Amino acid sequence: MSDRLDGEKSETVAWRTPRWLRGPRPEAVPRVVGTAGVIVGLLNLAAGVFPRFRHSRVHAVAEVLPGAVSPLAAAASIVVGILLLLLAHGLKRRKRRAWVAAVALLPVGIAAQLVYRHSVFGAVLSLALLVFLVRHRREFAALPDPRSRWKAVANFVVLGGASFGIGLVIVSAHPGKTIGSPTLWERAQHVLWGLFGFEGPIGYAPHVDDTIGYSLGALGLLTVATTAYLAFRPEHPAARLTDDDERQLRELLERHGARDSLGYFALRRDKGAVFSPTGKAAVCYRVISGVMLASGDPIGDVEAWPGAIERFMEEARAHSWTPAVTGCSETGGQVWTRETGMDALELGDEAIVDVAGFTLTGRAMRNVRQMVKRIERNGYHTRVRRVRDLEPAELARIQQAADAWRDTDTERGFSMALGRIDAVADGDAVIATAHLPAAEGEEPGPYGDLKAMQHFVPWGGDGISLELMRRDRGADPGMNELLIVAALQAAPDLKIKQVSLNFAVFRSSLERGEKLGAGPVLRVWRGMLIFLSRWYQIESLYKFNDKFRPRWEPRFVVFRNSRDIPRIGLAALQAEGYLELSLPRVLRRRRNAEPRPCAHLPEPVDASAVERAA
């Protein structure tokens, strides 16, 4: 009997999971090399900075060399040590460029250690690492990551600060060779001048002055050179959704889009896509901080999912990215874990409302009913339409209002955000708007009578999924409840049978933790979640969703091993817009070619506090 879900067949019957996909097998060689690189780098750095590390049996050989060779060797030892430390992470990730750089640097480090009166031990260890690298050169074949100018800025700040700190150690490591007793400020001045290649205010004994000058100059040159390299290195393009990819994805969504409420979000322009060999399925992803992060289930026929997942894992291995999936359904989680050997963890629940069963009557809906009636008595009215039915001028006004009402500098959303409102590309999407006519003698606002809006993307042929919520800060509380109710009440006329609302992180833990008889561990975990809700509104999202009496569908995160969870969490926070690592605003270039990704506006924690979060 086949182990496929519900008797489904794989599109590649003869396909067999490669050994490296069957489980979290440690990459021994890259880890050993990376650790050895750190050790050798520290030895080179210490040997170049501290005089006590320089005396050895090769002292007599060094004495007969020209005078400039020894200071140059000291500077080279420091530079090689720092570069090996910087390359260690790339070596652990099997990056080819890191391997090439390390193989080129190690001979320089060996020569510097021998010339500058170092112990033979350091040179032998460097030689052993070089031989090991050459012998296992095939292990280091990972392609480079997409270029980011943020890395150049970070390198300049971090390495510049480290160079200044190392420089202070260098100028202070020769107490017996210093002329006078320089103060800390004079030492700092000497370091700053030396990093730019000039002589500082401190005087040293012969030979020592040259050694310190060359070492400081090498640190400054290293900072500038590595920053320039990161800023202008050959570009390896980031994954982007091409026109051909979008066309294929739309065809798959046309046939299989009803399976997953998050399927339409695969059409975000900042995602890449890998397709199965037959093109019947695809996995959409984004690479952030070395994590290849997929969202939702694969798109297309379930029988073809294994082929798309295999391509995804091959791409992750080729670049040495950490594979992960966020927000997949239970079916998707089962396929991912079976095909890759990865593990799954329940992340939260998605709130889905069946239109046929929704009603405002009854005690359970009393609070929502009263809030909606109160807002309507204040003069508000709503309109729910397909995006393609909006006039261009009105659509432009809604887009401008949504952008102006955003409460953060960056847009939020990844797994449950589309990033645009487009009547041409996404005409089947639904817009719900709330309006309040201006009072007599009162000037209308910059967006007319528009006070709030919500955007829903298609979910198959008879469903919609909430994507964006925005409101005027001066509008009455409860705009979000008003528009959700309006969308649910208008759904039958739009032939919509189900509506996906917000995603509630760790909902089941919050629900079970407040019940009678909950254990101490669960209560402590619930307390932690409530504490974190002060910043991420975990509890408020759950409470808001629960107002509409939805059914809850669990969503999962899939990961390779437990030690990857912090890294995946950091990447997910960056993808969703809760953590931003980018260039300073003054250095950013405007990008008009692509729309900025839209997502959910974080509201104050009150009756109308809702955002679309993951």
Side-chain angles (χ1 to χ4, degrees), residues 208-505:
V208 176
D209 191 33
D210 291 339
T211 301
I212 292 177
Y214 284 12
S215 299
L216 293 177
L219 287 172
L221 181 61
L222 177 63
T223 302
V224 173
T226 54
T227 301
Y229 168 75
L230 291 173
F232 302 107
R233 61 179 170 171
E235 183 172 4
H236 191 81
R240 286 291 183 270
L241 199 66
T242 65
D243 292 340
D244 186 57
D245 290 342
E246 183 174 350
R247 178 187 58 78
Q248 293 184 64
L249 288 174
R250 288 187 181 277
E251 291 176 357
L252 294 177
L253 289 171
E254 185 70 24
R255 296 192 295 267
H256 307 283
R259 179 177 293 276
D260 185 14
S261 63
L262 307 188
Y264 202 86
F265 299 119
L267 299 178
R268 279 178 64 103
R269 303 280 165 73
D270 60 354
K271 288 184 178 181
V274 290
F275 291 84
S276 64
T278 59
K280 294 182 179 179
V283 175
C284 297
Y285 67 94
R286 183 178 172 190
V287 179
I288 303 175
S289 299
V291 177
M292 190 175 182
L293 190 65
S295 59
D297 291 343
I299 307 299
D301 190 351
V302 175
E303 297 180 359
W305 284 7
I309 291 173
E310 180 187 9
R311 290 283 180 87
F312 175 88
M313 297 300 291
E314 288 176 350
E315 186 78 4
R317 179 173 173 81
H319 293 267
S320 193
W321 291 329
T322 300
V325 187
T326 179
C328 64
S329 67
E330 187 170 2
T331 300
Q334 290 175 355
V335 177
W336 272 102
T337 55
R338 186 186 65 236
E339 299 297 331
T340 66
M342 296 198 292
D343 293 324
L345 179 69
E346 185 173 344
L347 183 62
D349 296 270
E350 178 187 7
I352 299 176
V353 179
D354 294 315
V355 173
F358 177 77
T359 177
L360 284 177
T361 60
R363 183 177 181 84
M365 298 298 295
R366 179 182 177 183
N367 290 337
V368 176
R369 181 174 64 251
Q370 289 179 344
M371 179 173 292
V372 170
K373 295 299 182 183
R374 175 181 58 79
I375 296 174
E376 291 177 342
R377 286 195 298 269
N378 290 342
Y380 287 87
H381 66 276
T382 60
R383 301 181 67 187
V384 181
R385 295 154 289 173
R386 297 282 184 181
V387 173
R388 62 171 175 265
D389 296 330
L390 272 69
E391 295 293 333
E394 183 179 7
L395 179 59
R397 185 166 63 252
I398 292 174
Q399 292 171 329
Q400 293 172 1
D403 187 65
W405 293 338
R406 187 180 67 243
D407 192 42
T408 56
D409 291 335
T410 58
E411 296 281 5
R412 291 184 173 178
F414 168 68
S415 57
M416 304 177 74
L418 182 62
R420 62 181 182 270
I421 304 175
D422 192 333
V424 177
D426 312 300
D428 288 336
V430 173
I431 285 280
T433 53
H435 305 265
L436 178 65
E440 185 177 353
E442 183 181 11
E443 290 291 332
Y447 310 107
D449 61 356
L450 182 64
K451 296 300 178 182
M453 58 82 61
Q454 291 180 359
H455 184 226
F456 300 80
V457 300
W459 171 16
D462 59 359
I464 53 176
S465 185
L466 180 59
E467 188 262 340
L468 181 67
M469 310 176 79
R470 295 284 162 81
R471 69 178 180 90
D472 187 342
R473 290 296 179 181
D476 290 358
M479 290 292 103
N480 293 321
E481 288 90 338
L482 174 68
L483 289 180
I484 287 177
V485 169
L488 290 169
Q489 291 177 336
D493 294 335
L494 298 174
K495 299 181 180 180
I496 294 171
K497 298 180 180 179
Q498 52 188 349
V499 178
S500 170
L501 299 179
N502 298 298
F503 176 73
V505 181

Side-chain angles (χ1 to χ4, degrees), residues 27 42 89 147 157 181-182 219 234 357 403 408 437 459 472 483 534 552 569 603:
E27 298 287 348
L42 289 174
H89 181 65
R147 185 177 68 178
V157 174
S181 300
L219 287 172
D403 187 65
T408 56
W459 171 16
D472 187 342
L483 289 180
R534 298 180 182 181
W552 297 100
E603 303 280 1

Side-chain angles (χ1 to χ4, degrees), residues 46-59 70 74 78 113 115-119 170 173-174 208 211-212 215:
V49 171
F50 300 104
R52 68 184 62 181
F53 287 94
R54 299 171 190 158
H55 300 285
S56 70
R57 296 178 181 177
V58 296
H59 175 84
S70 184
I78 294 174
Q113 293 204 41
V115 169
Y116 197 44
R117 314 170 195 173
H118 295 175
S119 170
I170 291 174
H174 305 267
V208 176
T211 301
I212 292 177
S215 299

